Amino acid sequence: MDAQKLKDNFALVGANGVDVAEYFYADLFAREPQLRRMFPTGMTRQYEVLLGALTQVVSSVDDHDTLIPYLEDLGRRHHGFGVLREHYGPVGVSLLATLAYFSGPEWNDDLERDWTAAYGLVTEVMAGAAAELVS
């Protein structure tokens, strides 16, 4: 996983601001409509939360001493919202679709592999922290 490529790509994607979050959630809810009930009716605050979390993850992707505790806390909090391990897959699919859409012609197989690896780490740490709460 090339951390600098992820950072550069997210700078490109993130320049689209709230449109990124709106696209992500529209894609997620189109793929998995049953997940919509886990979110508030008004999504404005949720858009900000998503963009903030993505920014934090990308900015510390090469600093595991910062990233891992952040993701563990995020995983525990998501568990409290009813998020299950099986939800991470569809979220990842929608995240990749969103990144590809906003990357435009910059999107390629290398970026997809790097983002997939990064999201795999996010999933493992968050789901692992949530699992500790139920063991």
Side-chain angles (χ1 to χ4, degrees):
M1 169 177 36
D2 186 326
Q4 192 56 54
K5 280 185 186 176
L6 293 176
K7 290 177 182 189
D8 293 345
N9 180 250
F10 191 68
L12 170 70
V13 170
N16 293 283
V18 73
D19 290 348
V20 174
E22 289 174 346
Y23 186 97
F24 168 80
Y25 283 110
D27 186 86
L28 179 64
F29 299 151
R31 292 175 194 271
E32 302 288 334
Q34 74 279 8
L35 295 181
R36 180 63 182 94
R37 70 180 187 279
M38 297 177 77
F39 294 88
T41 303
M43 292 288 288
T44 303
R45 174 76 178 118
Q46 186 62 36
Y47 296 156
E48 295 169 7
V49 169
L50 173 68
L51 293 172
L54 289 173
T55 299
Q56 177 63 37
V57 168
V58 172
S59 69
S60 58
V61 71
D62 52 357
D63 176 8
H64 283 198
D65 290 341
T66 300
L67 180 62
I68 300 303
Y70 175 76
L71 292 175
E72 289 171 338
D73 179 60
L74 201 59
R76 288 187 287 270
R77 286 188 283 134
H78 277 72
H79 174 76
F81 299 132
V83 173
L84 305 172
R85 181 177 273 279
E86 65 220 35
H87 296 141
Y88 287 95
V91 167
V93 170
S94 291
L95 178 61
L96 288 175
T98 302
L99 293 164
Y101 178 82
F102 285 98
S103 295
E106 298 296 318
W107 189 254
N108 59 47
D109 291 344
D110 288 340
L111 267 174
E112 185 171 353
R113 275 190 295 276
D114 286 342
W115 278 110
T116 299
Y119 186 70
L121 174 64
V122 168
T123 296
E124 287 311 307
V125 174
M126 286 181 65
E132 290 174 3
L133 297 174
V134 294
S135 6

